[in-house]
Amino acid sequence: MGFDAERSARIAAMQEAARPVWETTGDSDALQQFLKDNECHGVEAVFVTMGLLNCDLAEAQQAFLNAPCRNAERSFHNHAMDLLEQAADTDA
């Protein structure tokens, strides 16, 4: 996925800032808490996670959405998915 230069630079900088947390703890919840505490959310947090965990998008999203500190994001995601499902049901 391509990003503009500014977003790519933010992701790269946050990966380097978060690397010690990941290397020290190996805990994806601790990583997500660090990212949240440092105002890294959404797509950027998922891509930072992908880079640090050296994983695919699905695994990074799972680490992001399953972290206790990401309850608000998970609730928003689940609500959006429910609305999309309802919309699909009414179109059928």
Side-chain angles (χ1 to χ4, degrees):
M1 172 179 265
F3 295 119
D4 63 34
E6 184 178 327
R7 180 173 258 184
S8 294
R10 281 195 311 268
I11 290 169
M14 187 54 67
Q15 277 183 340
E16 290 314 305
R19 187 175 307 283
V21 172
W22 174 245
E23 289 177 350
T24 300
T25 67
D27 180 352
S28 63
D29 290 347
L31 172 62
Q32 291 307 313
Q33 186 65 58
F34 175 86
L35 295 176
K36 183 176 182 183
D37 291 347
N38 287 276
E39 302 298 321
C40 183
H41 305 288
V43 171
E44 291 182 12
V46 170
F47 275 85
V48 169
T49 302
M50 272 179 64
L52 290 174
L53 277 61
N54 194 28
C55 64
D56 65 19
L57 180 59
E59 291 173 287
Q61 286 176 317
Q62 186 174 30
F64 175 84
L65 289 171
N66 286 336
C69 68
R70 298 293 187 180
N71 286 338
E73 289 94 334
R74 182 175 45 256
S75 293
F76 174 82
H77 176 269
N78 289 341
H79 182 69
M81 293 297 106
D82 290 344
L83 291 174
L84 288 172
E85 184 177 348
Q86 289 171 9
D89 289 344
T90 60
D91 288 344

